[in-house]
Amino acid sequence: MSHLYKDTLQITLHADKVELCRRSGRLKPRPPVHAVQALTSKASATVTAGVLDTLEQMLQAPQWRGVDVEVVLSNALVCYAIVPASSEVLAANDELALAQLKFRQIHGPSDVLWEIRLGNMLAGSDQVAAALEKDFLARLREVLLSAQLRIRSVEPALMRGFNRMRGKLAGPDAWFVQAEPGLVLLAHLRSGAWTSLTALPSESPLAQCLPALLREASLLAGQDVQQERVYLDAVGVDTQGLDTLTGLNLSVLARQAGMARARP
């Protein structure tokens, strides 16, 4: 059946809550159905186990079952690294091995088994790699399949937001900033290629802390943020007051009902 007719369930997994949004197909539009649940399993051994325990409980309700599902993973559940471009053309396995080496250099040896995914970037440019716990992904798939859901995608929030903004980020130097409660990721790109990626904690309202976070990230990257365009993807974060900021060439990616659109 065409996706124009099918309902889609978007699941967003945060470190402290789970969000569900069921949207109807375009040819049979109905109001979306939303649900948000804070983590319920205090006995869970880890944050990721608590997230999946909560998701499994929520999916017991029949209105979420039997549809295509897209899963978005909070950046708090994902590790990222920029993998330098190789001077040689590498096979896919060699690219993954290079990414694994980069993660070991950053995080050191670990008993955790990781599934590493590389961003789809231009050949010869640095790439962003995302590392996800294999056990977490395996149980996530089990939970989804047991709820009779058809898995369309499982994607880190950073990659999903970047892909939506890729066309705007293909020009001269620009910043892509993705903010979610408690965490802000700040990426600098040149002609669509990643040059730096910084993750910084944030507890203040975004309009108050964003200028300082950008200054810190720009110093680390050796860039001048005042001379460059900033594209902001605010995921579950209050954007009030951003339009009053001065000294920033800022565009906000507005979100509504699980969808997103660019707003100058």
Side-chain angles (χ1 to χ4, degrees):
M1 183 185 295
S2 168
H3 292 319
L4 294 176
Y5 293 94
K6 287 183 177 180
D7 283 13
T8 300
L9 175 62
Q10 180 175 311
I11 298 174
T12 305
L13 302 180
H14 300 272
D16 61 348
K17 63 183 177 182
V18 174
E19 296 184 64
L20 306 181
C21 177
R22 179 167 177 163
R23 301 188 302 271
S24 62
R26 295 180 184 177
L27 296 184
K28 293 184 178 180
R30 297 185 305 278
V33 180
H34 297 269
V36 180
Q37 176 67 58
L39 298 198
T40 56
S41 182
K42 295 182 180 180
S44 301
T46 63
V47 170
T48 52
V51 169
L52 294 179
D53 288 345
T54 302
L55 175 63
E56 187 172 34
Q57 182 183 68
M58 293 179 74
L59 292 178
Q60 297 301 315
Q63 69 262 32
W64 309 119
R65 292 176 169 258
V67 298
D68 290 354
V69 62
E70 299 173 352
V71 181
V72 181
L73 302 175
S74 163
N75 293 319
L77 303 175
V78 186
C79 292
Y80 296 103
I82 291 183
V83 181
S86 173
S87 58
E88 303 176 358
V89 178
L90 299 179
N93 288 343
D94 294 329
E95 288 184 337
L96 287 175
L98 188 62
Q100 289 171 344
L101 175 61
K102 185 66 176 180
F103 278 107
R104 283 198 296 271
Q105 291 173 343
I106 295 173
H107 301 287
S110 173
D111 294 332
V112 177
L113 295 177
W114 298 96
E115 180 173 314
I116 295 177
R117 302 180 182 182
L118 289 168
N120 184 19
M121 298 301 295
L122 298 173
S125 65
D126 294 353
Q127 298 190 70
V128 167
L132 307 161
E133 293 181 21
K134 284 190 174 182
D135 289 346
F136 169 73
L137 288 175
R139 189 182 164 209
L140 172 61
R141 294 186 181 104
E142 290 176 1
V143 169
L144 297 176
L145 293 175
S146 67
Q148 302 172 11
L149 294 169
R150 297 178 292 273
I151 303 171
R152 187 184 296 178
S153 64
V154 177
E155 193 172 23
L158 179 66
M159 302 304 192
R160 185 180 181 88
F162 173 77
N163 287 334
R164 291 170 182 254
M165 297 292 286
R166 183 186 291 268
K168 294 181 179 294
L169 296 167
D173 288 20
W175 288 86
F176 176 61
V177 179
Q178 191 170 69
E180 57 184 81
L183 183 66
V184 179
L185 266 62
L186 306 101
H188 183 266
L189 298 102
R190 178 170 294 126
S191 299
W194 302 80
T195 64
S196 71
L197 178 61
T198 305
L200 297 172
S202 172
E203 299 300 335
S204 302
L206 188 58
Q208 293 182 18
C209 68
L210 182 59
L213 294 175
L214 279 165
R215 284 195 297 271
E216 182 174 350
S218 63
L219 286 173
L220 292 171
Q223 306 294 333
D224 185 358
V225 69
Q226 291 186 333
Q227 303 299 318
E228 299 165 346
R229 188 78 170 179
V230 178
Y231 295 96
L232 172 66
D233 182 16
V235 184
V237 175
D238 185 4
T239 59
Q240 185 175 358
L242 288 174
D243 55 351
T244 65
L245 294 179
T246 59
L248 290 179
N249 189 1
L250 180 66
S251 293
V252 179
L253 184 66
R255 289 176 173 268
Q256 184 176 11
M259 302 299 289
R261 57 183 177 82
R263 183 177 67 198

